Amino acid sequence: MGILSGIFKSRDKPTNRTAGSAYGFFLGSSTSGKKVNERSAMQMTAVYSCVRILSEAVASLPLHFYEYRGDGSKAKATDHPLYFLLHDEPNPEMSSYTFREVLMTHLLLWGNAYAQIIRNGKGEIVALYPLMPDRMTVDRDDKGKIYYQYYMTVDDAPTNQGKWVTLAATDVLHIPGLGFDGLVGYSPIAMAKNAIGMAIACEEYGAKFFANGAAPSGVLEHPGTIKDPSRVRESWTQTFGGSSNANKVAVLEEGMKYTPISISPEQAQFLETRKFQINEIARIFRVPPHMVGDLEKSSFSNIEQQSLEFVKYTLDPWISRWEQAMVRSLLTAQEKKKYFIKFNMDGLLRGDYQSRMNGYAIGRQNGWMSANDIRELENLDKIPAELGGDLYLINGNMTKLQDAGLFAKGSEGGEEENHEEVLELEESGSDGEQSGGENAVSERNNRRGKLVR
C-alpha cells in the first residue's frame, strides 16, 4: 500500500492547505508580508493565550467511561481497560491531562488531532500515543478505504528515521476540526493567517520602534557634500539607536540638521490596531476577550455570564467532537450499545455559592435531590443512610391533581345527612368533655373517619 499510495490522490495534507473546494488557503507569507505558521503564530500572546485556555480547559475536565444498566441508569465502568486509559494514563509516558492537552493543542493549531491506538494480541486497546499532525497524511486506497501515513523522524525511533509508516483507520484516533468534507479538519491558523500576520507585524513594529530609541526615523541633512555617508549613518545609529540610548541629547556639527519623516505611533493608531488584532484572534477561537486580558467591556455584573457562555458556546462543541470521535474509534459496534464516554462539565457550570445553595434548596424541597446528592456535588462526605442522607423529601402541602377532589367525591348523595352528622358529632364532642371524656372523643374521631371514607 505504501508503494501504490502515490498513484492515488492524497485526501489532504492538514499542515499547509485546505482542500475540498476550488480555492486554497496556504500557510506561509500573509498580506502583511509576515510568515505565518502554527509555531510562529504561537509566539503571539493572544494566540498562545487562546490555545492554552482551551487546551487546559479540556484537559482539566473529568473524563469517565460509563456503561448502561438494565434499569436505564448508568454507572462508571471502572473494570473496563479503557476507563484507566482515558481517566488516568493513556500510555506509560504521560498522564491523561497531558495527553488531552497535547491533542487539543494540535486540534486548535492544525485543525486535526491524531493518536495511535496500540492493541494487544486479543485486540484490546492498551495504549494511546499522540502523533504530530504536520507529519500525517490521510489517503484512500484503490477500494476507497481511508488509511493514514505518518512520517517518522529521529524523535520517534532512530531506526525508522525518514520512513513513512502506514496505519489502518482502526489504529488511529482522529479528532477532526472544522472542514469541508467531514473527514479532515483545516487549520484555524491557515484560515486566519492575514489577521495573525497583521498582529505579528504590529508587534514587530513596536519592538523595532523601541529598538531604535523610541524615536521616529528621519533624515540627516548636511549643507555640503558628505564623502562617506555610510560612516555618518553608522555613527548616528551607534550613538542614538536602541532603547538604552533613548532621550540622549544629539550634538550636530558642520551645520547638519535632523528632520523626522515618520509619523508617531499615536498618529498611526498603533495601540488601537494592536488591541483590535488581539480581539480579532480571540474571535477566531471564540474566546471571551476578558479571558485573554481585555476587561474593557467586562464588569462584575456580566463576567459570570460571559464565563457560562464560554462553557456553552465555546467549550461544549469541542467536547462533543472529543466524545463522538473517541466512541467511534475506541469502541466496537457491540460496545457502543453498552458503553459511552462522557466529560463532566458540571464544575464549570456552577455559579457562585449563593446561587448554588438556592438551586440545591429547590431540588431538595421538590424531592429530586437528597442530602447526599448535594454533598457529592460539593465534594463533601456522605451522610450515613441510617441518618437519612439518602431520603427524598417533598412539601406536605402538595398533592396529586387527580386526588384534589377525593373528599368532595366521597360525600356526594348525602350532603345534608353528613352535615347533620357533623353537627351532632361536634355537640357530642363538647358534651363528652364533661361526661364521656376520652371515649366520646374517640367515638367522634371514628365516626368522622367513616364520613371521610
Side-chain angles (χ1 to χ4, degrees):
M1 185 178 296
I3 299 175
L4 299 177
S5 61
I7 300 176
F8 309 108
K9 185 178 179 181
S10 175
R11 189 69 188 178
D12 185 43
K13 292 186 177 181
T15 60
N16 59 7
R17 71 181 303 266
T18 62
S21 62
Y23 55 88
F25 296 90
F26 290 86
L27 283 173
S29 181
S30 61
T31 52
S32 63
K34 299 302 175 185
K35 184 179 180 180
V36 178
N37 56 39
E38 291 82 7
R39 289 176 172 83
S40 65
M42 280 289 282
Q43 295 179 355
M44 283 295 305
T45 56
V47 175
Y48 181 86
S49 297
C50 291
V51 172
R52 182 179 180 182
I53 288 168
L54 289 171
S55 61
E56 289 180 346
V58 172
S60 61
L61 289 175
L63 177 59
H64 297 291
F65 189 75
Y66 292 95
E67 65 175 330
Y68 296 107
R69 289 183 173 178
D71 56 357
S73 62
K74 63 180 181 180
K76 296 177 182 177
T78 55
D79 296 334
H80 197 284
L82 276 178
Y83 184 91
F84 176 78
L85 293 179
L86 298 177
H87 184 269
D88 299 298
E89 293 183 8
N91 60 71
E93 299 176 357
M94 60 187 67
S95 63
S96 177
Y97 181 99
T98 303
F99 175 79
R100 285 181 278 150
E101 184 181 42
V102 169
L103 287 191
M104 190 62 189
T105 302
H106 293 171
L107 189 55
L108 293 169
L109 293 177
W110 282 276
N112 294 274
Y114 303 95
Q116 184 180 4
I117 302 174
I118 307 298
R119 305 177 187 270
N120 59 15
K122 299 180 181 179
E124 299 173 339
I125 300 175
V126 295
L128 298 169
Y129 286 91
L131 301 173
M132 289 299 298
D134 58 347
R135 291 189 271 134
M136 180 73 77
T137 60
V138 185
D139 296 331
R140 289 185 183 272
D141 60 15
D142 54 349
K143 296 181 180 179
K145 293 185 178 180
I146 294 177
Y147 67 94
Y148 298 82
Q149 280 194 316
Y150 189 70
Y151 186 75
M152 303 288 289
T153 66
V154 67
D155 295 332
D156 301 310
T159 56
N160 290 329
Q161 183 178 1
K163 294 184 179 180
W164 287 91
V165 177
T166 300
L167 300 172
T170 55
D171 295 331
V172 177
L173 167 61
H174 179 198
I175 307 174
L178 178 65
F180 299 154
D181 54 9
L183 297 177
V184 179
Y186 304 122
S187 169
I189 305 300
M191 292 292 187
K193 68 174 182 178
N194 288 328
I196 298 174
M198 185 174 179
I200 295 175
C202 290
E203 188 174 76
E204 184 176 330
Y205 172 82
K208 288 185 176 181
F209 173 73
F210 286 100
N212 290 328
S217 60
V219 175
L220 281 174
E221 298 181 2
H222 193 279
T225 302
I226 301 178
K227 296 181 180 180
D228 192 357
S230 60
R231 183 181 61 83
V232 177
R233 185 189 304 111
E234 291 175 2
S235 176
W236 178 270
T237 304
Q238 183 178 2
T239 306
F240 302 104
S243 57
S244 59
N245 296 324
N247 299 322
K248 276 189 175 182
V249 178
V251 179
L252 302 179
E253 301 177 353
E254 301 178 0
M256 296 180 65
K257 180 182 178 182
Y258 177 78
T259 304
I261 61 173
S262 298
I263 60 176
S264 65
E266 290 78 13
Q267 292 173 331
Q269 295 184 332
F270 169 68
L271 296 179
E272 288 79 2
T273 302
R274 285 210 65 192
K275 186 175 182 180
F276 176 79
Q277 289 309 118
I278 291 176
N279 289 333
E280 190 84 346
I281 293 173
R283 190 178 298 117
I284 295 170
F285 294 99
R286 204 189 299 170
V287 173
H290 77 271
M291 300 188 73
V292 293
D294 184 4
L295 300 176
E296 181 179 1
K297 297 183 180 179
S298 299
S299 62
F300 288 107
S301 60
N302 66 2
I303 198 166
E304 181 180 354
Q305 184 62 33
Q306 291 184 41
S307 299
L308 294 177
E309 289 179 355
F310 166 74
V311 176
K312 184 176 180 180
Y313 299 113
T314 303
L315 203 56
D316 188 62
W318 289 115
I319 293 301
S320 298
R321 289 182 188 273
W322 272 80
E323 292 173 347
Q324 295 185 20
M326 288 188 292
V327 169
R328 184 184 64 85
S329 301
L330 304 180
L331 300 182
T332 64
Q334 294 298 323
E335 288 178 328
K336 291 175 184 178
K337 300 177 182 179
K338 185 178 180 181
Y339 300 99
F340 68 97
I341 301 169
K342 189 74 175 176
F343 283 89
N344 186 357
M345 300 179 64
D346 293 339
L348 295 178
L349 294 172
R350 299 198 309 172
D352 59 89
Y353 184 80
Q354 182 178 0
S355 300
R356 297 202 311 273
M357 294 303 108
N358 292 336
Y360 293 151
I362 294 174
R364 178 75 164 146
Q365 294 170 8
N366 287 278
W368 51 272
M369 292 188 77
S370 67
N372 283 338
D373 293 336
I374 298 172
R375 293 179 67 86
E376 183 177 0
L377 292 175
E378 291 294 319
N379 293 322
L380 299 174
D381 294 336
K382 289 187 177 182
I383 299 174
E386 56 270 17
L387 298 180
D390 295 326
L391 292 178
Y392 294 89
L393 310 176
I394 59 171
N395 288 320
N397 59 348
M398 300 179 66
T399 186
K400 293 185 296 183
L401 182 63
Q402 62 185 17
D403 296 339
L406 287 181
F407 180 81
K409 184 177 180 181
S411 61
E412 291 178 357
E415 293 182 359
E416 296 181 357
E417 180 182 354
N418 291 339
H419 180 66
E420 294 176 357
E421 189 171 1
V422 169
L423 293 177
E424 181 182 352
L425 285 171
E426 292 178 350
E427 292 176 358
S428 63
S430 60
D431 295 339
E433 293 180 357
Q434 299 178 354
S435 59
E438 295 180 359
N439 293 333
V441 174
S442 177
E443 179 64 21
R444 178 185 63 186
N445 292 338
N446 290 335
R447 296 178 63 184
R448 278 185 172 178
K450 292 179 181 179
L451 280 176
V452 172
R453 291 191 293 271

